Amino acid sequence: MSKNHPHPVLADRHDYLPAAGNDLLLPAYELISRLFGTPALHDRLIEQAELQPGHRVIEIGCGTGSLTIKAKRAQPAAEVTGSDPDPKALARAERKTHGLRGIRFERAYAQELPHPDKEFDRVFSALMLHHIPVDIKGPAIAEAFRVLRPGGRLHLLDIGGDTTPADGFLARQIQRSHSIAGNLGDGIPRLLEAAGFDYTLLDSHPHRHMGRIVYYRATRPA
Ligand SMILES: C[S@@+](CC[C@H](N)C(=O)[O-])C[C@H]1O[C@@H](n2cnc3c(N)ncnc32)[C@H](O)[C@@H]1O
C-alpha cells in the first residue's frame, strides 16, 4: 500500500467496474462513449439540472470527467466536483480540464462520499448505477441524499425501465449482467423512494445498444 497516497485505505482498492469494463480499454472509453451517443445524453441531463451561479455540484462515478467538465462549462459560476474510484480515469479527467478553475476531481466511491451532510445543490449520476453491484446501489443513492441540501436535486441518467424485443444484441448482453438487474423494471424508482427522495421520471427513450435510457429528477424534500 502506498504510504503517500492521500487516501491510504483507497490506494490499492480495485473493487469497482471501470468505465469501459476493463482497465486496458480505458483509452478507448471516450470513443466508445461517442459511438454510443453519450454526449447528447449528458447534454440533456445538464439541461434538466437547471444549474445556477454558486451551485455546488458533484458527479458520482464521473469516469473520465466528460459530464463534470460540461456541467462546469454550462454554468461557469458553479463549483463542480467529479468523483470516481478509478485513479486512471481521474487522471484523464484532470488532463481534460486544461486549467479550468472551480472544478476538481477526487477519488471516492459513491457509497462512501468524503463530504459532510447537505454540502451540495446538485448530484449527477450518469451511467454509473449500472456499474455497481445490486447491494451497493441503495447505499450509493442514500449517500447522494445525505450530501444534498434540503431542496437539492439528484439528476440520474442510466439504463432502466423495461426490456423490449427491439433491444439490440449489445443491449441484451448488457441486460444479462448481474449489476444491471437492480436498474431494470421499477428498480431505480424503488431505490429513490427508499432513500427518501421525491422523484419524477423526466424522460425515457430506447437506445439501440443499451436498451432503455431513463432520466430522473430526485429532490431531497425541504
Ligand atoms: C460507464 S462509466 C460512466 C462515466 C461517466 N459518468 C460518463 O457518463 O461518461 C461508469 C463509472 O462508474 C464508476 N464506478 C464503478 N463503481 C463505482 C462506485 N462504487 N462508486 C462510484 N463510481 C463507480 C467507474 O469507475 C466508471 O468510471
Side-chain angles (χ1 to χ4, degrees):
M1 179 178 295
S2 156
K3 287 195 185 101
N4 297 325
H5 193 281
H7 303 291
V9 178
L10 284 185
D12 289 337
R13 275 174 73 175
H14 200 322
D15 52 356
Y16 52 84
L17 182 62
N22 184 310
D23 281 345
L24 295 176
L25 291 178
L26 183 66
Y29 177 69
E30 307 272 322
L31 177 63
I32 297 168
S33 192
R34 278 203 295 279
L35 292 174
F36 274 42
T38 309
L41 312 186
H42 287 168
D43 288 342
R44 198 177 296 206
L45 194 70
I46 290 171
E47 202 179 302
Q48 291 168 355
E50 302 173 305
L51 299 177
Q52 304 295 319
H55 265 175
R56 288 155 305 163
V57 180
I58 185 168
E59 183 187 4
I60 50 176
C62 68
T64 57
S66 303
L67 181 138
T68 305
I69 294 168
K70 244 184 196 180
K72 176 68 189 172
R73 293 200 193 283
Q75 180 45 269
E79 263 180 59
V80 182
T81 300
S83 119
D84 198 285
D86 182 354
K88 295 189 181 72
L90 291 171
R92 285 181 173 265
E94 292 276 4
R95 287 201 292 274
K96 281 161 56 181
T97 61
H98 300 298
L100 204 60
R101 289 179 181 213
I103 184 167
R104 56 185 289 273
F105 290 95
E106 66 185 15
R107 189 174 185 205
Y109 289 75
Q111 67 274 24
E112 298 167 19
L113 294 176
H115 294 281
D117 297 355
K118 305 178 185 173
E119 183 165 325
F120 294 102
D121 300 283
R122 295 286 183 271
V123 174
F124 282 115
S125 173
L127 300 172
M128 188 280 292
L129 198 64
H130 74 276
H131 267 240
I132 60 179
V134 173
D135 59 331
I136 302 295
K137 291 182 201 285
I141 298 295
E143 271 295 81
F145 185 95
R146 181 184 69 75
V147 301
L148 275 169
R149 65 161 173 81
R153 292 170 11 195
L154 163 67
H155 283 269
L156 184 148
L157 136 71
D158 222 300
I159 301 168
D162 294 320
T163 59
T164 74
D167 293 340
F169 171 78
L170 205 54
R172 289 200 303 279
Q173 300 310 306
I174 292 173
Q175 285 154 4
R176 283 203 191 115
S177 93
H178 180 59
S179 55
I180 287 279
N183 274 48
L184 298 179
D186 63 355
I188 296 176
R190 275 159 49 126
L191 289 164
L192 296 172
E193 192 166 335
F197 281 112
D198 291 337
Y199 62 89
T200 308
L201 176 65
L202 290 181
D203 199 358
S204 152
H205 56 80
H207 186 287
R208 185 171 162 65
H209 304 307
M210 293 193 271
R212 180 155 289 277
I213 297 293
V214 293
Y215 303 75
Y216 282 93
R217 177 183 63 213
T219 306
R220 176 173 174 158

